[in-house]
Amino acid sequence: VKHTAYPQWGEYAITNKFPFRDGTGVQPLPTSLYHLYVDANEFPGTVCTVPFRQDLCPGASLYVTYWMMSTANNYAQCDASVILVLKGIAKDGTETVIHRQASGQIPYNRNDKITSGTYSGAPLWNQLYFTFVNGATNTTYDHYELEIQSNNANTNGADFIIDDIRVYMQSPNARVMQQ
């Protein structure tokens, strides 16, 4: 996947508008200025990697949320799909997959009715999330990353936009008492 101003077949752009189309009303979420647009193809692969700002301790709960939309332009096109992969990275660069979570199929979806067989409304945003409790006792990881991978069946449609990725962490509440 490579960055370009006008993405095509496996390329992406970080943009504040929707490439190639006008009048669809696609805008970033009100809380952000830009979104990640991916013109996906049928080959699975890494779209982007988001590093964690702090360590993930054993027993910590993660709450990951993001917004995603399919940018297909008709119901015959392939649904968009991604896999989020949580990785622990050791000091020597060795990567260990700790957790995987699929978005499921994000279908073509518009916010207005069919008029004479055409759809003219803006695509709808879908908020997705997952939770994860770190059961790993291995504390040798230097840092952690959240990787977004394309998971599309084909290149007919499957394009998507992701915005506002957030990772919340709650450390375990431990009470130690001595008798």
Side-chain angles (χ1 to χ4, degrees):
V1 180
K2 76 176 193 177
H3 174 267
T4 182
Y6 297 99
Q8 298 181 55
W9 200 70
E11 298 175 334
Y12 71 92
I14 296 174
T15 181
N16 63 356
K17 60 184 177 181
F18 186 60
F20 304 124
R21 293 193 190 135
D22 49 355
T24 60
V26 177
Q27 296 293 323
L29 293 168
T31 57
S32 71
L33 300 174
Y34 293 91
H35 53 253
L36 173 67
Y37 169 78
V38 178
D39 189 327
N41 60 31
E42 71 275 19
F43 301 114
T46 300
V47 174
C48 69
T49 302
V50 182
F52 279 43
R53 292 185 180 154
Q54 65 185 62
D55 289 337
L56 175 62
C57 64
S61 296
L62 283 183
Y63 303 92
V64 179
T65 180
Y66 59 104
W67 292 82
M68 183 174 169
M69 76 165 65
S70 168
T71 60
N73 53 19
N74 66 56
Y75 285 104
Q77 291 184 327
C78 180
D79 294 339
S81 179
V82 296
I83 297 175
L84 278 72
V85 180
L86 175 61
K87 292 181 176 183
I89 314 296
K91 287 185 191 275
D92 68 359
T94 304
E95 298 180 355
T96 302
V97 173
I98 299 171
H99 183 73
R100 291 180 194 271
Q101 185 74 36
S103 66
Q105 301 299 307
I106 305 298
Y108 168 82
N109 194 2
R110 295 291 189 258
N111 64 0
D112 63 359
K113 297 178 182 176
I114 302 170
T115 306
S116 303
T118 62
Y119 306 88
S120 59
L124 294 177
W125 284 102
N126 299 276
Q127 185 177 25
L128 300 142
Y129 70 94
F130 69 89
T131 60
F132 170 73
V133 176
N134 187 18
T137 57
N138 183 349
T139 57
T140 60
Y141 298 126
D142 185 53
H143 63 281
Y144 295 85
E145 295 177 346
L146 184 65
E147 182 177 280
I148 299 174
Q149 298 178 345
S150 180
N151 185 38
N152 299 304
N154 63 50
T155 191
N156 181 15
D159 301 345
F160 58 89
I161 297 175
I162 291 183
D163 201 355
D164 200 22
I165 302 167
R166 295 179 185 224
V167 179
Y168 300 96
M169 186 182 319
Q170 180 179 356
S171 297
N173 189 3
R175 295 175 88 189
V176 179
M177 298 176 75
Q178 187 172 352
Q179 296 268 353

